[in-house]
Amino acid sequence: MEVNMIFMVVAGPFHTFLKYIESTQVIQTFQDQANHTEQGGITIFVPTDSAFSSLKNPSSLSNLTQRQLKSLFLFHALPHYYSLAEFKNLSKLNPISTFGGNQYALNFTDISGTVYMNSGWTNTKITSSVHSTDPVAVYQIEKVLLPEAIFGLAPPRSPAPAPFSDVDTVSNSAPKSSHSSSCRIIGWYTFAYLVLAISGGLVLFL
């Protein structure tokens, strides 16, 4: 029995994803993989329409060549069927190559049954299962997966601010205390000198 990939995707809020995989002919690759069960099946991560509209730079996809677009959408699928329960063990094998090839790999993390994935530029998670029957799994995700192979290395994250400690308070306040003491000592000697000078002047005057 043949699997109809269009029927699976068109039922949800995935019209933008469907438009791209049709225009790049990626859907044919997915369809062939799904219908040849001896190849291990297929797992597809489908971003919602809102995921595309919420891209920080909406023109980032329109500026890509047709070849780059094809690689980007091949990047949204694994050449094997995985149920949600299998991602826990799969995460131990990171990075996992996608249909895009070895340069287009994803890292997975399973936290209490929620599956997270990282593409370098994108951190997202599976929000629901659209279809999951061997040989085809289709999972909804909340962001478009952007590969470093196309967009370059992702910028490093800003380091977290250093935690406030009592040691810092003591070290910062210590010089101030020392400075205040020095000022008091200098002020005392100045006052004594003035008293002596005035006293001496009175003696001479008398």
Side-chain angles (χ1 to χ4, degrees):
M1 180 179 177
E2 289 197 355
V3 176
N4 190 325
M5 299 300 301
I6 295 178
F7 178 76
M8 289 183 185
V9 175
V10 77
F14 313 117
H15 299 93
T16 306
F17 181 80
L18 181 59
K19 179 191 73 174
Y20 275 113
I21 63 175
E22 285 183 321
S23 66
T24 56
Q25 298 183 344
V26 165
I27 193 167
Q28 190 59 51
T29 301
F30 292 172
Q31 191 76 62
D32 290 344
Q33 181 75 10
N35 290 325
H36 291 82
T37 55
E38 72 278 3
Q39 296 182 15
I42 185 171
T43 299
I44 307 173
F45 306 107
V46 187
T48 60
D49 293 331
S50 60
F52 285 92
S53 60
S54 63
L55 282 170
K56 291 183 178 179
N57 183 4
S59 64
S60 57
L61 298 188
S62 60
N63 290 333
L64 299 181
T65 65
Q66 192 72 1
R67 183 175 180 179
Q68 288 174 322
L69 275 176
K70 184 172 184 177
S71 294
L72 186 145
F73 286 97
L74 287 171
F75 184 53
H76 283 73
L78 306 177
H80 194 281
Y81 167 80
Y82 293 103
S83 66
L84 286 174
E86 292 180 286
F87 281 96
K88 186 171 185 178
N89 288 329
L90 186 65
S91 64
K92 299 175 183 177
L93 304 176
N94 286 328
I96 308 300
S97 295
T98 66
F99 265 103
N102 292 334
Q103 286 185 304
Y104 294 84
L106 290 167
N107 289 295
F108 294 93
T109 306
D110 183 291
I111 301 177
S112 301
T114 300
V115 179
Y116 295 84
M117 63 193 73
N118 179 277
S119 73
W121 280 93
T122 309
N123 287 297
T124 189
K125 65 181 179 180
I126 293 175
T127 54
S128 70
S129 175
V130 180
H131 176 90
S132 184
T133 302
D134 195 359
V136 179
V138 180
Y139 298 119
Q140 177 179 312
I141 56 177
E142 53 188 10
K143 293 181 181 180
V144 180
L145 299 173
L146 303 178
E148 291 185 329
I150 293 177
F151 295 96
L153 293 177
R157 296 181 180 182
S158 301
F164 182 80
S165 68
D166 293 337
V167 175
D168 293 333
T169 304
V170 173
S171 61
N172 290 334
S173 60
K176 293 180 181 178
S177 175
S178 176
H179 177 71
S180 299
S181 299
S182 300
C183 289
R184 286 197 296 269
I185 293 171
I186 293 171
W188 169 251
Y189 278 111
T190 303
F191 175 73
Y193 177 80
L194 288 173
V195 170
L196 290 173
I198 293 171
S199 300
L202 288 173
V203 170
L204 292 173
F205 179 75
L206 295 173

